[in-house]
Amino acid sequence: MLHPTSGCADARSATAPCSRCDLLVGLDGVHVEHVDRREDVLVVTVSSPAAPTGCPACGVIAVGRGRRRRVLHDVPSVTRVRIVWRQRVWRCTDDACSKKTFVEQLPSMVAARGSITQRTTAWAVGQLRREHATVHGLARQLSTSWKTVWRAIEPELVRLAADESRFENVTTLGVDEHVWHHVDPRKRGPKALTGMVDLTRDAKGRTRARLLDLVPGRSGAVYKVWLDERGDAFREGVKIAALDPFAGYKTAIDDKLQDAVAVLDAFHVVKPGTAAVDEVRRRVQQDTLGHRGRKGDPLYGIQTILRAGEENLTDKQSARLHAAVEADPAHDEVFVAWQCAQLLRSAYHQKNLADGRRIAQRVVDTFHTCPIPEIARLGRTLRRWKDAFLAYFTTGRSSNGGTEAVNGIIELHRRLARGFRNRENYRLRMLLAAGGLTP
């Protein structure tokens, strides 16, 4: 039978609930006075044990002036939970003290002037990090407002973001940019943010990508400033720097990470090869028929086949490819471009890295001399990025793929939140979601 006051079957009196209630509520420094079950909320009344208390201003032992009720939001279980804290009020007995009256504080339970318990804050941070929750959704579960929840969470995220230890032991660094808003930059600042990602491999050789920071702007200067702020120890620890083919980031790596090997991302090498084949196909289409591809045109019918890997083609697709090439002697140019793109792609599919590097070296040495202008242009680009291109095969297949995965997480959380208006809030949320903070 439940006790009418405490709601506990083991209670011995209305004024002294059992020790099990204190254990279940799980709040340090208080004991349970009363538990009230209602239809949609569980109200737990708590108070701290009596103890001599000194004035925080002068240290004189204060005298009690009663209590006041302070309602706190707690972690929801099967229903909403409210903690009613009977907070003690004290008066300083020293007439010369300016403090006069003050109230007790229990930082382990709730922050000063806060309305959300500390364990609820920890729960909310975990929900944002692991369950892809939104602040608005958490506020709905707690029956409070977005601002109330964010005011409780933000100080914890700021503290974690300021911890420089999260930059330790970074040996592989990735960099990429993304657009975080689509409004007038005069209202919200630069649209592009540069993101730095830790791509260091673990003991088993697996990459556990995590976002290190987001800074406004997209330029080599932005990257240089961020690297300068990290200090000499961080820069000396970075041995591999992965990037997309953007000269600004490459310049920053050369200037600030002299001991690091720059590695060009594999996707951003293969993609231009496929794009070059598309350009050749469109040019030949115009030269031979005088119009863009239409249904029934041989080259138009194989446009998707030209983007696939040769080893993935079915017999039917291979037959369609060769039939389209043989339809006109001018189509041989498209076929040669496709073979060049397949050769470039095959370098990354070799099981033996030495074999892949030999193919990549052959691409660098020959593509720029190709009579097909689109392939020659691709060859000149790869020659400019030769060292970063070939570094893929000497760094154990390092790439910027983990950075792209982090960008995917960022895009997911931006959609969940229906966009952001405050860049610092955006930065903190994305650092939490993409593993940059360790709650």
Side-chain angles (χ1 to χ4, degrees):
M1 177 177 173
L2 296 178
H3 193 279
T5 304
S6 69
C8 176
D10 293 337
R12 298 295 179 262
S13 69
T15 58
C18 71
S19 59
R20 188 178 300 176
C21 292
D22 294 348
L23 179 63
L24 288 176
V25 77
L27 297 174
D28 296 334
V30 298
H31 61 263
V32 177
E33 290 187 351
H34 182 75
V35 178
D36 185 15
R37 288 188 178 89
R38 300 175 187 172
E39 183 177 348
D40 60 344
V41 65
L42 180 68
V43 180
V44 182
T45 303
V46 301
S47 64
S48 61
T53 301
C55 174
C58 63
V60 173
I61 297 298
V63 298
R65 290 201 61 184
R67 300 171 185 263
R68 68 177 188 181
R69 293 169 58 88
R70 184 169 166 185
V71 179
L72 309 176
H73 301 277
D74 201 31
V75 179
S77 55
V78 294
T79 185
R80 291 180 297 131
V81 179
R82 293 289 179 270
I83 301 294
V84 177
W85 178 23
R86 297 183 65 239
Q87 189 177 24
R88 298 177 184 272
V89 181
W90 304 93
R91 178 177 63 84
C92 181
T93 58
D94 186 351
D95 295 336
C97 180
S98 60
K99 195 66 178 176
K100 304 304 181 185
T101 62
F102 60 94
V103 296
E104 70 173 330
Q105 298 294 340
L106 294 175
S108 62
M109 183 174 73
V110 63
R113 301 179 184 275
S115 62
I116 294 180
T117 62
Q118 296 287 21
R119 68 179 179 186
T120 305
T121 299
W123 166 81
V125 169
Q127 292 290 304
L128 291 175
R129 171 65 183 90
R130 295 185 297 272
E131 306 300 333
H132 305 304
T134 65
V135 176
H136 182 74
L138 297 176
R140 187 168 56 249
Q141 293 184 62
L142 297 172
S143 295
T144 184
S145 67
W146 185 97
K147 288 186 177 180
T148 299
V149 175
W150 184 248
R151 276 197 296 262
I153 295 173
E154 185 181 19
E156 177 66 9
L157 302 189
V158 170
R159 182 186 67 81
L160 293 171
D163 184 3
E164 290 293 321
S165 65
R166 65 191 185 88
F167 297 111
E168 294 176 357
N169 303 319
V170 176
T171 59
T172 304
L173 184 65
V175 61
D176 198 7
E177 78 287 339
H178 74 273
V179 176
W180 80 282
H181 72 82
H182 300 276
V183 300
D184 190 340
R186 292 173 296 182
K187 297 180 179 179
R188 205 169 292 180
K191 291 186 177 183
L193 297 181
T194 296
M196 278 61 68
V197 178
D198 178 13
L199 300 175
T200 304
R201 293 173 177 172
D202 60 17
K204 296 182 179 179
R206 294 176 297 189
T207 299
R208 304 294 188 183
R210 62 188 184 96
L211 182 65
L212 294 176
D213 214 344
L214 286 172
V215 293
R218 175 189 181 269
S219 67
V222 168
Y223 196 20
K224 285 182 184 180
V225 170
W226 186 85
L227 290 170
D228 275 333
E229 292 173 350
R230 299 284 70 78
D232 294 338
F234 176 86
R235 294 194 297 271
E236 291 170 1
V238 177
K239 303 304 179 185
I240 299 174
L243 75 160
D244 298 345
F246 175 49
Y249 294 154
K250 181 63 165 60
T251 301
I253 292 171
D254 292 341
D255 289 349
K256 300 299 179 181
L257 300 175
Q258 294 90 346
D259 297 332
V261 177
V263 181
L264 195 60
D265 184 57
F267 171 79
H268 290 87
V269 174
V270 175
K271 181 181 178 182
T274 305
V277 177
D278 265 344
E279 292 174 8
V280 175
R281 178 187 60 80
R282 288 193 292 267
R283 176 172 58 79
V284 172
Q285 171 80 28
Q286 288 285 349
D287 292 344
T288 56
L289 297 179
H291 59 74
R292 296 178 61 184
R294 299 172 184 171
K295 184 177 179 180
D297 293 343
L299 292 182
Y300 183 77
I302 63 170
Q303 58 176 327
T304 54
I305 295 177
L306 293 173
R307 296 171 188 151
E310 184 175 12
E311 72 281 2
N312 297 323
L313 296 182
T314 64
D315 293 341
K316 182 178 179 180
Q317 289 173 322
S318 296
R320 287 176 56 195
L321 173 63
H322 288 92
V325 171
E326 293 169 358
D328 191 312
H331 295 177
D332 288 342
E333 196 172 1
V334 178
F335 187 65
V336 171
W338 179 74
Q339 288 181 314
C340 290
Q342 293 301 311
L343 179 66
L344 175 61
R345 182 175 177 274
S346 69
Y348 292 103
H349 285 262
Q350 300 300 314
K351 293 183 178 180
N352 189 310
L353 286 173
D355 293 339
R357 193 181 191 283
R358 280 193 290 271
I359 295 175
Q361 185 67 58
R362 178 184 167 192
V363 167
V364 172
D365 293 340
T366 60
F367 272 26
H368 69 286
T369 63
C370 182
I372 302 174
E374 292 83 357
I375 299 300
R377 184 177 68 245
L378 173 63
R380 291 191 295 271
T381 300
L382 293 177
R383 281 175 68 85
R384 286 197 303 271
W385 290 88
K386 176 182 176 180
D387 293 338
F389 171 38
L390 297 179
Y392 173 89
F393 305 96
T394 58
T395 57
R397 302 184 190 275
S398 296
S399 76
N400 217 22
T403 306
E404 300 296 342
V406 166
N407 277 344
I409 294 174
I410 290 174
E411 293 296 334
L412 169 64
H413 282 257
R414 186 174 63 182
R415 288 195 299 269
L416 289 172
R418 304 292 194 274
F420 287 79
R421 290 178 293 179
N422 184 293
R423 189 176 67 228
E424 185 58 24
N425 289 353
Y426 179 82
R427 171 178 174 266
L428 292 174
R429 282 287 306 278
M430 298 314 166
L431 285 175
L432 180 65
L437 310 181
T438 52

